[in-house]
Amino acid sequence: MKVEEECIPCILQMSLNGLRSLNLEPDKQRTIYHEFVKSIMTQNNIWDITSAELVEKVLIILMDKTAIADPFITIKEKANSQLLSIYDKLKHHVSNCDDPILMATQLSIFGNTIDVMLSGNPENNLKKVLMASTKDIPLHTESYQQLSSQLKNSKSLLVIADNAGEAVLDKLLIETLYETYHMEMYYAVRENPALNDVTYDEAVDMGLPDIAQVITNGIDGPLPGTVLSRCSEKFLHVLNSVDMVIVKGGGNFESLIGEPNLPLNTFFLLMCKCEVHSRFFNTPVGQAIIWVN
């Protein structure tokens, strides 16, 4: 899915959120922000790449100008910490509902709203997620039934991760699936920091290696998406050997949808968060999405 006009203000908002989180001097902040605007609007191939690839170009500038390797680390740590602090409560809620897998799936998808690409304060999105254990998050019945059927017939699963915070709810989903199906689980995270996406160290800190084999995608660069031609052989081996794949988030969706080498049993789980996605999915903004490859 290539960049569209509506993507540009979202990317600029993300870059501003990142700058403000670093508490830079106002003059330096404006100088770097000007670099972002100039970089985006002078890209010769701006309409021929994905949004994730354009974000990567902006992040490279941000990291270079500030000498900070992980500009969104504070945002990531706060999201993970707050959700881990109520993990036992969420686990109890999921375990005692009528359909634990459905509830865990809904929460995992709703966690996708913890996104610095959204306009406004990212903490507002986190607050919504912290209240999501009592929220009705509707899913398209047929898509969920396809996901459920494939889960029942699979012995191995790869989850391709997206945002921090959301990853805590991925852990809840993986744990719930393992308790039901005893599947072999893999969890793929970013090789390098990219936006507020989860990396290996953060996955370890939240205990994911206790329930899944945590791997990285092997991509060299701050890409908030997944481009198979840039992934490591280890990642590709797992991708092509498991019985099914769950892909989280918009950046992964935009960079993988239409990929001819993606396994057939791939399910995209994300929130419809913008007008570009709304047109693609033909669904309102705010709808939880399960898209079957």
Side-chain angles (χ1 to χ4, degrees):
M1 182 183 289
K2 304 302 183 184
V3 169
E4 296 194 26
E5 287 83 351
E6 292 96 332
C7 300
I8 304 305
C10 281
I11 292 171
L12 289 174
Q13 181 64 56
M14 170 279 300
S15 67
L16 187 58
N17 288 341
L19 283 171
R20 286 176 172 167
S21 72
L22 299 177
N23 297 314
L24 302 173
E25 292 293 327
D27 287 346
K28 185 171 184 178
Q29 179 175 293
R30 294 190 186 103
T31 298
I32 297 174
Y33 190 68
H34 178 71
E35 286 291 322
F36 294 153
V37 176
K38 185 169 64 175
S39 171
I40 289 175
M41 300 316 298
T42 57
Q43 288 287 332
N44 293 328
N45 64 340
I46 187 173
W47 309 115
D48 297 322
I49 61 177
T50 65
S51 178
E53 290 169 305
L54 184 56
V55 169
E56 180 181 28
K57 294 177 184 294
V58 172
L59 290 175
I60 289 171
I61 295 172
L62 177 60
M63 294 172 178
D64 179 63
K65 296 296 183 181
T66 63
I68 298 173
D70 194 352
F72 295 89
I73 184 66
T74 302
I75 293 172
K76 292 192 292 182
E77 287 177 345
K78 183 168 186 177
N80 285 339
S81 175
Q82 290 198 18
L83 279 162
L84 285 170
S85 72
I86 61 168
Y87 187 84
D88 290 343
K89 177 183 176 181
L90 291 169
K91 175 69 174 175
H92 178 78
H93 177 71
V94 167
S95 299
N96 289 277
C97 70
D98 292 336
D99 188 340
I101 292 177
L102 173 60
M103 177 57 71
T105 301
Q106 289 172 310
L107 289 173
S108 178
I109 295 174
F110 194 70
N112 184 231
T113 60
I114 306 173
D115 189 349
V116 295
M117 287 296 292
L118 294 178
S119 60
N121 187 345
E123 290 189 19
N124 291 335
N125 305 316
L126 176 58
K127 290 175 183 176
K128 293 177 183 178
V129 175
L130 291 171
M131 298 186 297
S133 61
T134 57
K135 183 179 178 66
D136 182 26
I137 308 164
L139 288 177
H140 187 261
T141 302
E142 183 178 343
S143 298
Y144 176 70
Q145 288 175 344
Q146 287 181 266
L147 174 69
S148 179
S149 177
Q150 185 60 48
L151 286 167
K152 293 174 184 176
N153 292 290
S154 297
K155 295 182 178 180
S156 57
L157 168 67
L158 166 65
V159 178
I160 300 178
D162 191 43
N163 299 330
E166 176 184 358
V168 177
L169 299 172
D170 294 343
K171 176 186 176 182
L172 181 58
L173 174 60
I174 291 171
E175 193 169 15
T176 304
L177 291 175
Y178 181 79
E179 290 171 353
T180 304
Y181 299 120
H182 303 288
M183 306 165 73
E184 184 179 14
M185 302 288 190
Y186 295 89
Y187 193 68
V189 299
R190 305 292 185 225
E191 176 77 18
N192 295 310
L195 290 181
N196 63 324
D197 293 354
V198 63
T199 58
Y200 184 84
D201 287 345
E202 291 141 16
V204 170
D205 288 343
M206 69 180 69
L208 268 159
D210 295 336
I211 55 173
Q213 296 184 51
V214 180
I215 62 173
T216 66
N217 60 17
I219 292 177
D220 183 16
L223 177 71
T226 306
V227 175
L228 296 188
S229 62
R230 294 176 60 183
C231 291
S232 66
E233 290 188 11
K234 179 179 180 179
F235 171 86
L236 294 175
H237 174 74
V238 173
L239 177 74
N240 292 311
S241 63
V242 294
D243 293 331
M244 67 177 295
V245 180
I246 289 177
V247 181
K248 296 297 304 295
N252 287 326
F253 177 82
E254 291 171 10
S255 50
L256 284 173
I257 192 66
E259 166 60 58
N261 295 317
L262 197 64
L264 291 177
N265 294 327
T266 297
F267 295 80
F268 294 91
L269 275 58
L270 66 156
M271 293 293 291
C272 179
K273 294 181 287 189
C274 67
E275 291 302 325
V276 173
H277 285 183
S278 179
R279 288 197 298 269
F280 182 91
F281 295 120
N282 192 29
T283 193
V285 172
Q287 175 69 42
I289 300 292
I290 296 178
W291 185 264
V292 186
N293 186 44

